[in-house]
Amino acid sequence: MTQGRPMRADARRNYERLLKVAAQAFAEHGESASLDDIAKRAGVGSGTLYRHFPTRQALLEAAYVDRIEALGARADELATELPPGEALGEWLYELVVGTLQVRGMKALLGSAVTGGGALALTACATTVKGAAARLVRAAQARGALRGDVEPIEVLRLVHGVASAAELAGAGEPEIRRYLSLLNEGLRAG
Amino acid sequence: MTQGRPMRADARRNYERLLKVAAQAFAEHGESASLDDIAKRAGVGSGTLYRHFPTRQALLEAAYVDRIEALGARADELATELPPGEALGEWLYELVVGTLQVRGMKALLGSAVTGGGALALTACATTVKGAAARLVRAAQARGALRGDVEPIEVLRLVHGVASAAELAGAGEPEIRRYLSLLNEGLRAG
DNA sequence: ATAAGCTACGGAGAGAGTCCCCGGTCTGCT
DNA sequence: AGCAGACCGGGGACTCTCTCCGTAGCTTAT
């Protein structure tokens, strides 16, 4: 982003501490973690938090943007290592695991794939959608996935699998199991 | 339940108005609708609400218990009308529609299929689980469903489908589509 | 029909949180 | 050194939950 001036040193320090603390807090308490508490834990006043991040959503997104980008990069890495069908499967698995390990990310990814899609044009949304699209299209080209499925539908269904696994207690076996069931459905046709 | 005395007339009236208003409020605002607001809309003091329903969960469950029981009855009705595989599919469809039309019910059904299963032995949970078990077992007996799937897993996955459809905007086509994808997965094996 | 007794009511208020702003103060940059 | 810019943290305005206790009015016995 454009920045007229570089941030003042203390401002930058606080910004980064807020991000770190926020990531922990969201992971621990979910998307509705107390913002005042985050500010306190970061050792700054609440005004400082609200100056840097005007809304809860802004903070949520900033806190996880690097993790999301790592997921995007991981998609390409998997694409070179594995055949398309397996690459997609493995990436989705890692997506679900990430979603469940870090409770705040579930909300973030959920809002990234909602509705008409008009509103949620955030950076995270485009990153995830892009990665999913690449893997899905590749798998379809190889016939490892039915052709009439849109990438965003896959993301939504995977979000659903995450919800199901969450209900089941979020154990790794459940995730693998539910994902493979979904996979069967996505392959047929 | 045992009742030493019949309820006083005004008590019964208030009880029923609370239930009606609560069902509307939960449907409209989701599980976290304001309880004070429900009391106000029902024309009673908040004390009255808390006397009848000590916890939010108690009210949520009481508000939807009849709807849940209708779902249970519907399961048996479908079982006589359709072959097992289709009966299950149709029932799950109606379950998802109910879940999405009435936002509070999603929370209720979600909590009914959580975790180890030890805690949530509520009436709603047993009704839904029972209905699902009958349909699932019947479908498995006919080979319309893979044998290694537990009824509760089906419920969890369907809850996930509801989440996915919710993200997509909860249109009827999406529900049918996502459910049929799940069905493919559940049939294979 | 009336009165006594007790059930259930109402709604204020305490307590816990959340969000956000503001005015004085301090700090880092040039 | 001087100043723009950032900080701090108290506090206002809300919202929601849940309890308490005086009392309205329903029931039942006479």
Side-chain angles (χ1 to χ4, degrees):
Chain A
M1 305 302 168
T2 69
Q3 45 193 25
R5 313 235 172 138
M7 263 175 148
R8 227 171 71 174
D10 51 348
R12 163 144 235 99
R13 205 164 41 234
N14 285 331
Y15 183 90
E16 276 161 10
R17 285 174 69 180
L18 279 170
L19 279 189
K20 206 166 77 182
V21 171
Q24 284 176 1
F26 284 132
E28 196 169 334
H29 301 107
E31 59 184 321
S32 56
S34 160
L35 297 188
D36 270 20
D37 191 51
I38 289 174
K40 241 174 221 113
R41 280 210 256 169
V44 307
S46 49
T48 301
L49 185 155
Y50 287 102
R51 195 169 335 100
H52 284 303
F53 310 101
T55 68
R56 174 181 293 274
Q57 186 71 15
L59 178 57
L60 189 56
E61 187 159 340
Y64 290 125
V65 72
D66 53 348
R67 200 180 276 253
I68 296 283
E69 265 159 25
L71 270 174
R74 181 76 178 135
D76 297 330
E77 195 180 314
L78 286 169
T80 66
E81 292 174 0
L82 298 171
E86 289 170 40
L88 177 63
E90 183 57 25
W91 187 71
L92 292 180
Y93 173 71
E94 293 181 12
L95 184 61
V96 172
V97 169
T99 298
L100 291 181
Q101 274 177 352
V102 180
R103 299 189 48 208
M105 250 178 73
K106 190 172 175 222
L108 182 57
L109 290 172
S111 75
V113 296
T114 36
L119 294 172
L121 283 178
T122 64
C124 291
T126 49
T127 301
V128 170
K129 284 182 199 165
R134 288 194 297 278
L135 290 172
V136 165
R137 296 307 184 202
Q140 286 174 330
R142 290 283 187 94
L145 190 69
R146 53 197 291 173
D148 63 346
V149 182
E150 293 298 318
I152 197 163
E153 291 182 311
V154 174
L155 286 176
R156 285 185 191 136
L157 284 164
V158 164
H159 188 90
V161 165
S163 298
E166 197 172 26
L167 290 176
E172 186 187 323
E174 282 89 3
I175 299 177
R176 289 256 181 229
R177 177 167 171 75
Y178 296 165
L179 254 187
S180 83
L181 285 171
L182 174 62
N183 243 328
E184 303 273 359
L186 290 175
R187 187 167 297 144
Chain B
M1 307 296 171
T2 69
Q3 44 192 27
R5 311 232 173 142
M7 260 176 152
R8 228 170 70 174
D10 52 347
R12 162 144 237 100
R13 208 165 36 238
N14 285 331
Y15 183 89
E16 277 162 9
R17 285 174 69 180
L18 279 170
L19 280 189
K20 205 166 79 181
V21 171
Q24 284 176 1
F26 285 132
E28 197 169 333
H29 301 106
E31 59 184 321
S32 57
S34 159
L35 296 188
D36 268 21
D37 192 51
I38 290 174
K40 243 176 218 110
R41 280 209 256 169
V44 306
S46 48
T48 300
L49 186 153
Y50 286 101
R51 198 169 326 103
H52 284 303
F53 309 101
T55 68
R56 174 181 293 276
Q57 186 73 13
L59 178 58
L60 189 56
E61 186 160 341
Y64 290 126
V65 73
D66 53 348
R67 202 181 274 253
I68 297 283
E69 265 160 24
L71 270 173
R74 181 77 177 135
D76 297 329
E77 197 181 311
L78 286 169
T80 66
E81 291 174 1
L82 299 171
E86 290 172 39
L88 176 63
E90 183 58 25
W91 187 71
L92 292 180
Y93 172 71
E94 293 180 14
L95 184 61
V96 173
V97 169
T99 297
L100 290 182
Q101 275 177 351
V102 179
R103 298 187 49 207
M105 251 178 72
K106 191 173 175 221
L108 182 56
L109 290 172
S111 75
V113 296
T114 35
L119 295 172
L121 283 178
T122 66
C124 291
T126 49
T127 301
V128 170
K129 283 183 199 165
R134 289 193 296 278
L135 290 172
V136 165
R137 297 306 184 202
Q140 286 175 330
R142 289 286 188 94
L145 191 69
R146 53 197 289 174
D148 63 345
V149 181
E150 293 298 318
I152 197 163
E153 291 182 312
V154 174
L155 286 176
R156 285 185 192 136
L157 284 164
V158 164
H159 189 90
V161 165
S163 298
E166 197 172 25
L167 290 176
E172 187 186 321
E174 282 87 4
I175 299 176
R176 289 257 180 229
R177 178 168 170 74
Y178 295 165
L179 255 187
S180 83
L181 286 172
L182 174 62
N183 244 328
E184 304 272 359
L186 290 176
R187 187 166 297 145

